[in-house]
Amino acid sequence: MLTFKGKIKTKMLRTLIIDDEPPVRATLQGLLKRTCQQVNVVGEASSVASGIQAIREKSPDLVLLDIKMDDGTGFDLLNHFENINFKIIFITAYEEFAIQAFGFSAIDYILKPVNPEKLAEAVKRAEKMKQQEFNTQIGALKENLENQGKQNKKIILRNQESIFLFNVDDIIHCESDGSYTVIETNDNQKIVVSKVLKEYDKLLSGSGFLRVHRSHLINLKHIKRFDKLEGGNVIMSNGHQIPVSTGGREKLLELFDELGG
Amino acid sequence: MNSVKKYIGLFILIGGVHYSASPQVSFPLELKKADSLQQVLPSSQGSEKVDVLNKMSYALIRHYSNRSDSLASLSLKLAEKLDYKEGKAMALFCKGTNAFISGDFIETLNMLYEAVDLFKETGDTAMIIDTYFQVAETYIFSGTDTPEGIRIGEKCIQYSIASDDKLRTARMYSALQYVWGLSGQADKSRYYIDKYKSVTEKFTAHKLESIMIEAAIGRCYAIKGDYRKAINQCLKACSILHPNSIEERAFLSQQYSSNGNIYLKLGKPDSAFYYYTHRLELARKNQHYYGSIENTMGLARYYHLVKDDKNAEVYCDSVLYFGKKIDSSGSFYGIREYLKLLGISGEIYMPTTNAFKRYYAWKMMAQAYSLLVEIHQSHDMYKKAFEINNLYTSIQDSIVGYQKRKEILDLQYKYQSTQKDNQILLLSQENQLQSLKISQNRFILLAVGVVIVLVVLILLLILRQSKIRSREQVTEFKQKLLRSQMNPHFIFNSLTSVQNFIITHDEIKASVYLSRFSDLVRSILNNSMVEQITLEEEIATIENYLELQKVRFADKFDYSIEVDETITPENILIPPMLAQPFIENSIEHGFKNMKTKGCILIRFKMDKDKILYEVEDDGIGRQKARKILNKLDKDHKSLATTITIERIKVLNKKLHRKISMNIEDLKNNEGKAIGTKVVFAVRV
């Protein structure tokens, strides 16, 4: 394996395509050839089994991995590797549960039919990413997939410098800051992520978060009290005061009613 | 009344074991006849049924009065429904008689008079006589209005003579001599006895009745004071009696007490004593209370006469004892089995009521009390005499109370005399009743109407609810169906295939498959709106679908679509894409792990009025495919099968088309799976 490491420095990204449908593989190959010059497709596989074998044989840097295949899923394939030393871009036609999981783990995925621009971006990001960081993300993904529907999901927050792994329950509040989102956690960290608040709203609304204001998404578990005066404020567990909009106020009161009733 | 009472024993004559054979006995107990009628009852209809019921009722009157009455009630209802006058009259006759037995004399007279009116309408003279006879007997035997009873009885005789009915004439004479005798009118009684004898010369009278007549002659002599002739006549009557029968023995004991009474009058207390004691023991043995009470009373009188007041007192107490027995049981017998036997001779004319029997007992007890008072007074025991006198008064009150019903019956009598007025009154009452019934009926109709409306409303609501629910179900189902046909994996992967043609610069193919894809999406969207499409359209859709799948899975399978020559695909309508889920199954699961190329064969054949839609693959078979699927996903369920079964159910209900589906696992000679065949049979 060490012998291959030297080849990484050739700057060619050794890429493996795993998908059970030939036209999809052909499409991916064709698109990579045109949009990602640094990619060298070293092989193809059409199933979980042949994919495992190909990874072991070719030791790719990047795997474009289909989720639903004849003999299993892309996740099944990952379970066959203790140490992952390749990056993955997931390819999916339609897997809602997976897409949700990707969101929590901040993992890149490509929808079929493939948008060449997005594919190129994803490849570029994968190229730059440190393997260790990626493995953290994959770890979170696996955990979330295993604990599907259960409490205390893991979430990956990533900025330019570093990558953070949190329990969803530990997030207190998310605040919009232009095209960035500031996330406050219960250990008093403030993480600025280059994603819009809307994405986190989508991701977390099913996990006990509520958009009480255009710029504020709060974790309901961390509400200390609701100050109805002065237009309404919620005081969070860290003492921060979050403004509540009229719409948010209604939603909040509704929720309190439900809990109270 | 006392004088009558004294001789009552004379009149009480012997019932016989043969009485059931005699038409002279009113209401013979004819159980056998009732039984045989019972057998024809179920098969009889309409007025015939009324007649059978009436005959049964009549046969049971004497001793099964309750049963007889309920049968008559049934028959009356039926007759009224059928407007069958004869039947109604007869039912009323039976009911009236049963009412007499139960002691409701007003009801008795009401019914009998109504029956008479009906019999007059139908012109049934025999029954007019019989019914009047019942009316007469009711007056007489209820002890309430004997003169009225006699008046009506005489009317019966006139009717009988006029209709030349000798049997009935004889019976009337017999009954009237009895009644006159009871009233102590010897001449009148004798007159009717002679009349009776002249009539019965021409035919053989019943044994029992002839005995009664012989005894009656004796009674007449007794009333006249000619005790010598009286005793001869009575002994003559006694000689005809047969002492082996319980009934006759009982009657004999009564007759002997009468004999004793006469001997007392003759001043021959020893003979009297002989007759009294001779039969008392037998009467006691049979627990024939009536015989006992008569003879003990006779003995009390005898002892009083011979100045043995101690014994007289003892026998008076015996009288009271037996009197109380009759009073409490309402029966002349103390043995259950004997209850159905004739107790006194008068019963030959009319079944007596319990109240009537009590009345007799009271009278006898009153005699005993009165004798006791006399005895105590003569011994200067005034206190005791006073106490007994109180008892005497109270029993006299009971007797008067019984007779008081006379007043009630007097009203009834007035009713009869003003019958015509009353009939008008009755008619108007009936009208009122009718209008009441009508208004009642209206109310019931209204109520029924309201209930029906409510029920209908509820049903409509339920129906609507279920319609909404089924509509919801259909909508939900349609979505499911649409989703199963618009499998996102199929859609996006197909589009990716098209994308591939673009990338490889195969513009023609890209265009072809893009248009095939569009066609397919169009028909699937269209199919969600219509229930049926032509077979031509179906084939085109399936072809598009298969072509797109073929591109996705390149060399995985081939397919062919065969249509029988007898079929014109433009003219046949079928539900769209019935087989699509199974075709998809074949492609995605059936050819899994196969080294060779799979093949799907789609065939359309005619089978009489059905079109057979077959999908056959040469894949790994359902069992193996399921195994593989379960390995991947434990909870996997065959959506294709469940959704199709559900769809067929809905279609069969909605289109009333018989669609059936059959899945066959194909096997080779060695029993190895060589594919799956799905056949839909759709009635055209």
Side-chain angles (χ1 to χ4, degrees):
Chain A
M1 282 235 199
L2 284 168
T3 51
F4 289 111
K5 262 191 179 170
K7 285 195 176 177
I8 297 167
K9 282 163 189 168
T10 60
K11 289 202 174 178
M12 287 300 279
L13 202 60
R14 294 169 51 78
T15 303
L16 189 66
I17 300 171
I18 306 175
D19 194 304
D20 61 342
E21 295 186 30
V24 178
R25 296 197 297 270
T27 305
L28 285 169
Q29 194 154 11
L31 286 174
L32 285 170
K33 205 180 259 174
R34 287 183 212 189
T35 57
C36 308
Q37 303 298 332
Q38 75 277 37
V39 166
N40 174 26
V41 177
V42 292
E44 282 183 10
S46 64
S47 64
V48 173
S50 61
I52 293 164
Q53 204 185 343
I55 289 168
R56 287 196 174 135
E57 275 173 15
K58 313 272 179 179
S59 291
D61 304 314
L62 178 65
V63 174
L64 300 187
L65 183 58
D66 188 19
I67 291 168
K68 189 181 167 264
M69 282 175 285
D70 242 9
D71 58 346
T73 67
F75 304 126
D76 294 336
L77 182 144
L78 289 183
N79 285 335
H80 285 85
F81 295 92
E82 291 256 326
N83 295 304
I84 293 168
N85 47 12
F86 50 90
K87 286 146 198 170
I88 304 159
I89 297 171
F90 287 97
I91 313 284
T92 175
Y94 184 82
E95 258 84 30
E96 272 181 291
F97 78 95
I99 287 165
Q100 182 82 1
F102 294 144
F104 277 100
S105 349
I107 285 175
D108 273 314
Y109 60 94
I110 300 290
L111 290 169
K112 300 180 212 179
V114 184
N115 180 338
E117 285 174 15
K118 286 201 171 167
L119 179 66
E121 278 171 30
V123 169
K124 225 176 261 175
R125 266 202 299 275
E127 199 181 5
K128 280 186 197 165
M129 204 191 298
K130 289 170 192 153
Q131 187 66 45
Q132 205 188 337
E133 285 179 4
F134 179 74
N135 286 0
T136 312
Q137 285 174 280
I138 287 291
L141 174 74
K142 278 187 173 175
E143 203 172 317
N144 284 341
L145 284 172
E146 277 164 24
N147 299 326
Q148 255 183 70
K150 286 182 189 162
Q151 294 291 309
N152 210 8
K153 277 186 182 147
K154 291 278 192 289
I155 186 164
I156 295 282
L157 303 175
R158 202 168 64 182
N159 61 19
Q160 302 298 82
E161 303 91 44
S162 38
I163 179 163
F164 306 88
L165 176 66
F166 284 106
N167 286 326
V168 170
D169 285 355
D170 295 338
I171 294 172
I172 295 169
H173 162 232
C174 308
E175 186 179 353
S176 167
D177 182 9
S179 59
Y180 293 91
T181 301
V182 184
I183 295 168
E184 287 180 26
T185 63
N186 63 350
D187 54 355
N188 290 323
Q189 287 196 68
K190 271 191 182 185
I191 299 150
V192 182
V193 190
S194 66
K195 270 184 182 170
V196 290
L197 183 67
K198 199 186 156 194
E199 281 194 41
Y200 285 104
D201 188 8
K202 239 202 260 175
L203 200 62
L204 297 170
S205 63
S207 307
F209 281 70
L210 184 70
R211 187 92 171 259
V212 293
H213 187 273
R214 195 166 46 85
S215 321
H216 297 277
L217 178 72
I218 59 162
N219 188 344
L220 294 169
K221 288 191 186 96
H222 285 280
I223 293 179
K224 231 176 159 183
R225 75 190 150 88
F226 178 39
D227 199 347
K228 285 204 258 183
L229 298 169
E230 296 168 43
N233 286 304
V234 275
I235 318 297
M236 303 306 288
S237 59
N238 59 2
H240 288 190
Q241 192 172 309
I242 314 290
V244 176
S245 68
T246 321
R249 185 193 163 93
E250 271 170 32
K251 279 188 238 164
L252 254 183
L253 288 174
E254 223 170 85
L255 270 167
F256 284 143
D257 268 359
E258 269 174 43
L259 292 169
Chain B
M1 211 61 196
N2 260 353
S3 66
V4 174
K5 195 59 243 160
K6 261 180 204 167
Y7 301 104
I8 192 102
L10 278 176
F11 323 138
I12 310 289
L13 263 178
I14 309 95
V17 275
H18 313 292
Y19 65 83
S20 64
S22 168
Q24 300 301 100
V25 178
S26 297
F27 313 109
L29 177 61
E30 294 178 309
L31 286 177
K32 270 184 193 164
K33 198 176 171 190
D35 279 347
S36 63
L37 284 165
Q38 178 87 52
Q39 280 165 7
V40 293
L41 185 64
S43 60
S44 52
Q45 290 290 325
S47 59
E48 194 193 333
K49 189 169 186 174
V50 175
D51 288 342
V52 173
L53 283 167
N54 284 337
K55 278 179 193 161
M56 282 174 75
S57 176
Y58 187 85
L60 294 171
I61 281 178
R62 184 175 279 275
H63 290 306
Y64 296 91
S65 177
N66 286 345
R67 171 101 180 104
S68 166
D69 189 56
S70 55
L71 285 167
S73 299
L74 264 177
S75 142
L76 183 63
K77 245 184 228 167
L78 196 60
E80 265 166 357
K81 210 156 75 188
L82 297 166
D83 201 21
Y84 176 45
K85 274 181 192 158
E86 285 92 333
K88 193 182 168 187
M90 195 60 208
L92 282 165
F93 175 84
C94 291
K95 272 189 81 71
T97 310
N98 285 313
F100 171 76
I101 292 168
S102 70
D104 191 348
F105 302 133
I106 293 176
E107 188 71 9
T108 308
L109 292 174
N110 273 335
M111 287 181 171
L112 291 176
Y113 277 130
E114 207 186 331
V116 164
D117 289 344
L118 283 166
F119 284 129
K120 277 180 184 168
E121 269 183 61
T122 60
D124 189 343
T125 14
M127 277 316 292
I128 293 170
I129 299 164
D130 280 358
T131 313
Y132 267 131
F133 184 51
Q134 286 307 120
V135 173
E137 289 190 75
T138 302
Y139 281 120
I140 297 161
F141 282 85
S142 62
T144 48
D145 198 348
T146 311
E148 179 64 15
I150 289 167
R151 194 186 68 78
I152 294 165
E154 277 169 342
K155 211 158 122 191
C156 285
I157 292 169
Q158 283 162 24
Y159 276 122
S160 306
I161 295 166
S163 56
D164 198 31
D165 189 336
K166 291 203 172 62
L167 216 72
R168 280 190 170 75
T169 312
R171 194 159 110 209
M172 298 305 134
Y173 284 141
S174 166
L176 282 178
Q177 66 73 19
Y178 179 76
V179 172
W180 280 123
L182 276 185
S183 322
Q185 304 264 351
D187 290 340
K188 290 209 171 169
S189 182
R190 188 62 210 241
Y191 169 79
Y192 282 116
I193 289 168
D194 292 339
K195 285 276 184 191
Y196 173 86
K197 283 205 154 184
S198 71
V199 174
T200 51
E201 264 168 21
K202 282 151 197 157
F203 62 91
T204 319
H206 185 259
K207 179 192 175 192
L208 202 81
E209 213 161 33
S210 30
I211 294 168
M212 279 200 70
I213 291 296
E214 290 308 320
I217 295 167
R219 178 187 59 197
C220 288
Y221 285 130
I223 295 167
K224 286 247 171 194
D226 195 344
Y227 296 116
R228 177 73 31 210
K229 278 188 180 170
I231 195 69
N232 285 341
Q233 197 61 36
C234 283
L235 289 173
K236 194 175 156 192
C238 281
S239 68
I240 318 170
L241 279 165
H242 205 285
N244 285 342
S245 136
I246 295 160
E247 233 172 4
E248 291 195 29
R249 227 185 284 160
F251 280 62
L252 203 57
S253 76
Q254 293 167 58
Q255 190 57 50
Y256 273 29
S257 85
S258 303
N259 291 355
N261 290 346
I262 295 166
Y263 275 118
L264 279 187
K265 293 281 172 196
L266 272 173
K268 289 187 170 178
D270 292 341
S271 294
F273 180 73
Y274 165 77
Y275 280 104
Y276 288 138
T277 48
H278 197 71
R279 287 298 169 192
L280 176 61
E281 216 184 317
L282 260 182
R284 275 182 170 161
K285 220 182 245 173
N286 287 348
Q287 295 195 36
H288 181 233
Y289 295 145
Y290 196 73
S292 304
I293 208 170
E294 288 271 3
N295 284 303
T296 43
M297 191 61 227
L299 281 170
R301 250 187 237 113
Y302 161 75
Y303 280 117
H304 182 58
L305 200 74
V306 298
K307 314 269 181 218
D308 186 353
D309 280 342
K310 214 168 193 181
N311 268 320
E313 215 181 314
V314 169
Y315 279 99
C316 277
D317 286 336
S318 284
V319 170
L320 296 174
Y321 168 80
F322 290 119
K324 277 167 191 160
K325 282 277 180 193
I326 296 170
D327 190 17
S328 63
S329 66
S331 165
F332 284 153
Y333 283 103
I335 293 171
R336 267 185 81 86
E337 286 82 350
Y338 297 169
L339 292 183
K340 306 244 173 278
L341 302 175
L342 294 175
I344 56 167
S345 62
E347 284 185 302
I348 201 170
Y349 295 106
M350 186 83 178
T352 50
T353 68
N354 290 353
F356 189 60
K357 287 169 187 165
R358 284 195 187 99
Y359 170 67
Y360 262 56
W362 294 338
K363 284 188 151 191
M364 207 54 86
M365 285 162 83
Q367 283 181 38
Y369 281 132
S370 123
L371 186 59
L372 280 171
V373 170
E374 203 181 303
I375 290 165
H376 285 102
Q377 271 176 341
S378 66
H379 292 258
D380 299 332
M381 295 165 76
Y382 297 107
K383 198 186 170 203
K384 186 91 185 168
F386 177 70
E387 280 169 8
I388 294 164
N389 196 51
N390 279 349
L391 292 167
Y392 172 74
T393 321
S394 95
I395 205 115
Q396 274 298 18
D397 284 347
S398 298
I399 293 163
V400 172
Y402 182 81
Q403 288 171 327
K404 246 199 179 161
R405 283 177 304 173
K406 183 184 167 167
E407 284 165 30
I408 303 165
L409 288 162
D410 274 350
L411 293 173
Q412 211 58 50
Y413 174 65
K414 272 174 204 153
Y415 155 85
Q416 192 227 350
S417 58
T418 56
Q419 207 176 352
K420 273 181 189 166
D421 297 347
N422 282 353
Q423 262 174 351
I424 295 162
L425 192 76
L426 249 169
L427 271 174
S428 69
Q429 276 174 343
E430 222 164 81
N431 279 342
Q432 274 178 357
L433 211 75
Q434 208 77 38
S435 62
L436 193 74
K437 265 185 192 166
I438 288 167
S439 71
Q440 263 179 348
N441 283 349
R442 267 195 206 134
F443 175 74
I444 289 164
L445 259 167
L446 195 76
V448 167
V450 167
V451 167
I452 287 171
V453 166
L454 275 173
V455 167
V456 166
L457 273 174
I458 290 164
L459 282 177
L460 278 175
L461 272 171
I462 290 169
L463 206 73
R464 206 173 138 238
Q465 205 63 28
S466 78
K467 252 189 188 166
I468 290 169
R469 208 177 303 138
S470 77
R471 212 177 291 152
E472 274 170 7
Q473 279 174 347
V474 166
T475 316
E476 195 189 317
F477 170 74
K478 270 187 180 167
Q479 281 175 349
K480 247 196 253 171
L481 189 67
L482 196 64
R483 275 190 85 143
S484 83
Q485 288 172 352
M486 295 265 264
N487 183 339
H489 287 105
F490 166 76
I491 291 166
F492 300 122
N493 284 315
S494 295
L495 283 171
T496 312
S497 306
V498 175
Q499 194 179 23
N500 185 40
F501 291 127
I502 298 165
I503 287 161
T504 55
H505 297 288
D506 197 339
E507 291 89 353
I508 299 298
K509 267 196 178 164
S511 302
V512 167
Y513 286 101
L514 199 58
S515 106
R516 276 197 188 277
F517 182 80
S518 308
D519 282 346
L520 184 65
V521 170
R522 228 191 313 278
S523 39
I524 288 171
L525 288 175
N526 190 42
N527 291 349
S528 68
M529 319 283 274
V530 297
E531 304 286 354
Q532 302 187 80
I533 55 168
T534 64
L535 186 54
E536 196 181 25
E537 288 172 298
E538 171 75 7
I539 291 167
T541 310
I542 292 293
E543 212 167 358
N544 276 333
Y545 178 73
L546 282 162
E547 278 297 324
L548 285 163
Q549 286 285 37
K550 229 181 138 182
V551 174
R552 274 179 73 195
F553 296 106
D555 297 320
K556 213 166 159 187
F557 72 96
D558 278 324
Y559 75 90
S560 74
I561 300 175
E562 293 170 13
V563 182
D564 255 24
E565 282 170 15
T566 50
I567 296 171
T568 26
E570 309 93 275
N571 297 341
I572 288 169
L573 286 174
I574 59 164
M577 294 189 78
L578 262 180
Q580 184 268 342
F582 293 93
I583 298 171
E584 188 171 278
N585 268 1
S586 292
I587 296 163
E588 296 195 353
H589 310 300
F591 303 139
K592 213 170 253 180
N593 298 350
M594 266 176 60
K595 302 256 153 46
T596 53
K597 230 179 186 182
C599 184
I600 297 175
L601 183 58
I602 294 165
R603 253 187 255 109
F604 295 95
K605 293 194 285 195
M606 283 307 283
D607 176 26
K608 287 169 202 160
D609 62 335
K610 283 183 214 144
I611 184 158
L612 299 180
Y613 185 166
E614 297 180 359
V615 178
E616 186 182 330
D617 71 37
D618 57 355
I620 56 173
R622 283 196 296 171
Q623 212 179 347
K624 204 168 168 190
R626 201 176 298 127
K627 242 185 218 166
I628 294 168
L629 277 171
N630 284 342
K631 220 190 266 172
L632 296 173
D633 177 6
K634 274 177 193 163
D635 302 323
H636 183 85
K637 278 176 194 156
S638 172
L639 194 64
T641 317
T642 47
I643 205 163
T644 306
I645 287 169
E646 203 179 325
R647 192 178 169 203
I648 287 172
K649 228 194 279 174
V650 171
L651 285 169
N652 280 344
K653 213 191 276 177
K654 238 177 159 182
L655 302 175
H656 305 292
R657 288 183 73 159
K658 205 84 190 121
I659 302 171
S660 61
M661 176 181 74
N662 180 41
I663 306 175
E664 198 183 321
D665 297 308
L666 302 173
K667 288 191 176 134
N668 66 8
N669 293 337
E670 294 153 30
K672 220 176 136 195
I674 52 162
T676 311
K677 185 176 175 180
V678 182
V679 183
F680 293 91
V682 184
R683 192 173 289 160
V684 182

